[in-house]
Amino acid sequence: MTYQPAIDTGKITAIDVHTHVESDDHHHTSLDQELLDASAGYFRASVPRTPTVADLAAYYRERNMAAVVFTVDATTSLGGHPPISSELIAEQAAENNDVLIPFGSVDPLRPAEALARIRDLAGDYGVRGMKFHPSLQGFDPSDRSHYPLYEACAELGLVTLFHTGQTGIGAGLPGGRGIKLRYSDPMLLDDVAADFPELTMILAHPSVPWVDSSISIATHKANVFIDLSGWSPKYFPPQLTRAIGSLLREKALFGSDFPLITPERWITDFETLGVKEAAVSLIMKENALRVLGL
């Protein structure tokens, strides 16, 4: 079944552009237990940590929201731990196309396979974008060896969503389980944005400790946006709060990082920031409608 969106954009109140499918119907999880536990501890997660596609559909339908759903294929860097199938996610999102928008994920360290799967996921399954996590996947996104992946995404009209900044995955473990934060420095993505002006890019999270870089890139590059997931808004750096209410009001996107942060918690904390209502409506839904082509 090929995904086609059927979201009533006038009815939904928000689009969460950053949610994780952490388990499939056979209880296979996207990360091993040590990494799941470390991530949950870092975020003090208060909801079940391994939602399936069906769980996400029910959760967001109940809240009258839509959500972008994905997993991360880090097969090589995780020593062969298989990912949740992006094909399965897309098929099940197609069954819940009133609330879900599927993104795919491929392993950049398996370039030939990754390139073929990007084309298959877009053409045969209808995914609307691709998720990359440079630190977890263990690759430098500015390395030109990965440019064919971006070329394919641009050619196919896929949105690219890149993790940036600190990650809760591996947090508190010896050596962070070998996960290198420098690969998620957003300045590495400035090269990509400059070299692929036709590629729509979303820098995920407030990019701590590089928030000023993300603000600069999104201000400078018309094809770059910021999602605000992964941090409670009450912890946003003040310059980010100022930017999303002013010069970046049309470039910022609501995202929670569910199940690690719930949309209710995120929205409750966001309401304390004093962002002008005209910017709030853009951030919560209108910007995402435009970026995702809905």
Side-chain angles (χ1 to χ4, degrees):
M1 181 183 297
T2 301
Y3 174 83
Q4 291 291 339
I7 297 167
D8 185 341
T9 58
K11 180 181 177 182
I12 59 169
T13 60
I15 299 177
D16 188 337
V17 302
H18 200 115
T19 74
H20 293 266
V21 179
E22 296 286 10
S23 179
D24 63 19
D25 297 335
H26 303 288
H27 308 292
H28 173 69
T29 56
S30 59
L31 300 172
D32 61 57
Q33 197 60 50
E34 183 181 47
L35 289 176
L36 284 172
D37 289 343
S39 184
Y42 178 82
F43 283 97
R44 298 184 179 92
S46 59
V47 297
R49 292 175 292 166
T50 54
T52 64
V53 174
D55 293 333
L56 290 167
Y59 187 91
Y60 281 90
R61 190 176 289 118
E62 181 180 341
R63 287 155 180 78
N64 205 28
M65 297 179 183
V68 172
V69 295
F70 52 76
T71 190
V72 177
D73 185 343
T75 305
T76 302
S77 62
L78 291 179
H81 182 86
I84 296 170
S85 166
S86 287
E87 290 81 0
L88 177 65
I89 290 172
E91 289 176 340
Q92 294 184 342
E95 298 169 359
N96 295 280
N97 63 349
D98 60 317
V99 290
L100 299 185
I101 304 150
F103 275 27
S105 181
V106 297
D107 185 351
L109 301 183
R110 300 182 175 187
E113 175 187 317
L115 186 58
R117 287 191 67 221
I118 287 174
R119 296 191 181 280
D120 288 344
L121 284 165
D124 297 338
Y125 293 89
V127 301
R128 308 290 286 202
M130 297 299 301
K131 161 70 174 183
F132 296 97
H133 193 312
S135 288
L136 181 60
Q137 293 175 310
F139 79 106
D140 177 345
S142 69
D143 191 306
R144 286 183 173 269
S145 67
H146 304 300
Y147 273 28
L149 304 183
Y150 312 143
E151 290 171 357
C153 289
E155 175 190 334
L156 296 164
L158 297 176
V159 176
T160 52
L161 175 63
F162 289 89
H163 173 95
T164 65
Q166 162 73 304
T167 179
I169 301 173
L173 298 177
R177 268 283 296 268
I179 294 169
K180 297 175 180 177
L181 297 182
R182 68 181 178 89
Y183 288 150
S184 291
D185 183 340
M187 285 308 297
L188 298 176
L189 296 169
D190 185 63
D191 289 14
V192 179
D195 292 338
F196 294 92
E198 70 282 16
L199 179 65
T200 299
M201 300 172 60
I202 302 173
L203 309 182
H205 316 310
S207 304
V208 174
W210 300 294
V211 63
D212 292 315
S213 295
S214 281
I215 292 171
S216 294
I217 296 166
T219 304
H220 188 250
K221 304 291 193 299
N223 53 319
V224 175
F225 299 80
I226 294 175
D227 93 30
L228 302 172
S229 68
W231 290 74
S232 166
K234 67 182 179 182
Y235 299 123
F236 283 0
Q239 64 269 42
L240 178 62
T241 299
R242 289 194 300 270
I244 64 176
S246 55
L247 75 165
L248 290 182
R249 56 188 286 178
E250 294 186 351
K251 305 296 287 292
L253 308 164
F254 162 53
S256 66
D257 215 8
F258 187 82
L260 299 171
I261 295 177
T262 66
E264 288 91 346
R265 175 188 173 191
W266 192 97
I267 291 170
T268 296
D269 291 344
F270 184 68
E271 289 172 346
T272 68
L273 297 183
V275 177
K276 293 180 180 179
E277 185 57 36
V280 171
S281 62
L282 292 170
I283 293 167
M284 296 305 297
K285 185 171 77 169
E286 300 302 325
N287 290 341
L289 290 175
R290 177 163 43 89
V291 171
L292 298 171
L294 300 174

